[in-house]
Amino acid sequence: GESVGLHLPTLSVQEGDNSIINCAYSNSASDYFIWYKQESGKGPQFIIDIRSNMDKRQGQRVTVLLNKTVKHLSLQIAATQPGDSAVYFCAEKRTGNQFYFGTGTSLTVIP
Amino acid sequence: DSGVTQTPKHLITATGQRVTLRCSPRSGDLSVYWYQQSLDQGLQFLIQYYNGEERAKGNILERFSAQQFPDLHSELNLSSLELGDSALYFCASSVEGGQTNYGYTFGSGTRLTVV
């Protein structure tokens, strides 16, 4: 069946290093993707989005890359900080305009 | 503060009982979405309301129901509760209800524990 999934459930990085979180999707009709960050005890927060007509989008310290050929999405965080420790979800907008979320990757930043 | 308000923050109840979770969307948002997040699970879409009307259904059990009121707040009713219903329940809101070109704004969630 169709799914939005993440390659790794956990990721640990040293403070100051770059982090890369990956996400695979299987619905080729999806045209909009979002990365969310969820800190402990809080709801998901919007980080960055990308539309299917783009390959790359940059924000502040974050970059999202979209490879439609292999249906892969990645989130790159530059100079990772302790405050970046959280669970990161990719979300895929499918037909019907609902977002479907992956299971999440837990990022731990080691000081 | 995201602007989406959920109450209560925590809820502990017994199996077989019924509970109501409440959500007030961000000012100006017409759509409300309910999601369930179980341990080690992603966010499972339950149901969407737009301006008082049901717009879409996801993996919502028949024991669960929701509604959106004229003031746009929404309630999620969970009945005949089972241990497996223990989860975080999130409400999110957005301006649009049709072509949603932006992400959602999430509340802080209600943690439901069924004992």
Side-chain angles (χ1 to χ4, degrees):
Chain A
E2 295 178 340
S3 65
V4 176
L6 293 161
H7 292 173
L8 295 173
T10 62
L11 178 65
S12 296
V13 298
Q14 292 286 339
E15 182 179 357
D17 287 352
N18 296 334
S19 301
I20 299 177
I21 301 171
N22 296 303
C23 176
Y25 66 96
S26 56
N27 189 332
S28 57
S30 297
D31 61 358
Y32 181 51
F33 304 86
I34 298 178
W35 280 99
Y36 282 91
K37 173 185 180 182
Q38 186 178 17
E39 297 176 277
S40 181
K42 297 184 179 180
Q45 295 176 284
F46 174 97
I47 301 175
I48 192 168
D49 61 356
I50 189 167
R51 303 192 186 281
S52 59
N53 61 353
M54 303 170 69
D55 297 322
K56 179 180 180 178
R57 189 153 191 238
Q58 288 184 293
Q60 187 177 16
R61 285 200 307 117
V62 294
T63 300
V64 55
L65 299 177
L66 176 62
N67 186 330
K68 294 180 287 294
T69 301
V70 295
K71 299 189 190 70
H72 183 268
L73 196 68
S74 68
L75 176 70
Q76 300 178 2
I77 305 174
T80 313
Q81 303 169 359
D84 295 327
S85 293
V87 176
Y88 290 82
F89 294 95
C90 65
E92 167 191 16
K93 184 171 79 70
R94 301 179 183 173
T95 56
N97 296 306
Q98 286 80 48
F99 282 92
Y100 289 82
F101 291 77
T103 53
T105 291
S106 177
L107 174 66
T108 300
V109 181
I110 304 166
Chain B
D1 182 6
S2 68
V4 178
T5 304
Q6 288 188 249
T7 57
K9 291 192 182 302
H10 302 277
L11 197 52
I12 301 175
T13 190
T15 55
Q17 295 298 305
R18 172 189 169 97
V19 297
T20 297
L21 313 183
R22 182 187 168 100
C23 169
S24 293
R26 194 179 54 168
S27 179
D29 286 356
L30 300 178
S31 268
V32 169
Y33 308 80
W34 286 98
Y35 282 81
Q36 179 192 57
Q37 186 178 38
S38 302
L39 187 65
D40 296 330
Q41 293 291 316
L43 289 150
Q44 301 294 317
F45 170 67
L46 295 178
I47 197 164
Q48 175 200 359
Y49 278 82
Y50 174 74
N51 205 21
E53 295 187 0
E54 182 183 302
R55 180 59 63 96
K57 265 188 174 180
N59 300 320
I60 188 166
L61 300 173
E62 287 190 9
R63 299 184 286 109
F64 297 179
S65 64
Q67 54 184 329
Q68 186 179 28
F69 295 86
D71 66 352
L72 301 178
H73 91 271
S74 178
E75 293 182 354
L76 179 67
N77 302 297
L78 314 177
S79 61
S80 302
L81 284 167
E82 303 174 359
L83 296 177
D85 297 327
S86 295
L88 273 167
Y89 291 84
F90 285 103
C91 168
S93 71
S94 69
V95 172
E96 305 95 344
Q99 284 293 326
T100 305
N101 292 317
Y102 301 94
Y104 304 161
T105 301
F106 281 84
S108 297
T110 293
R111 181 174 293 281
L112 172 67
T113 303
V114 182
V115 297

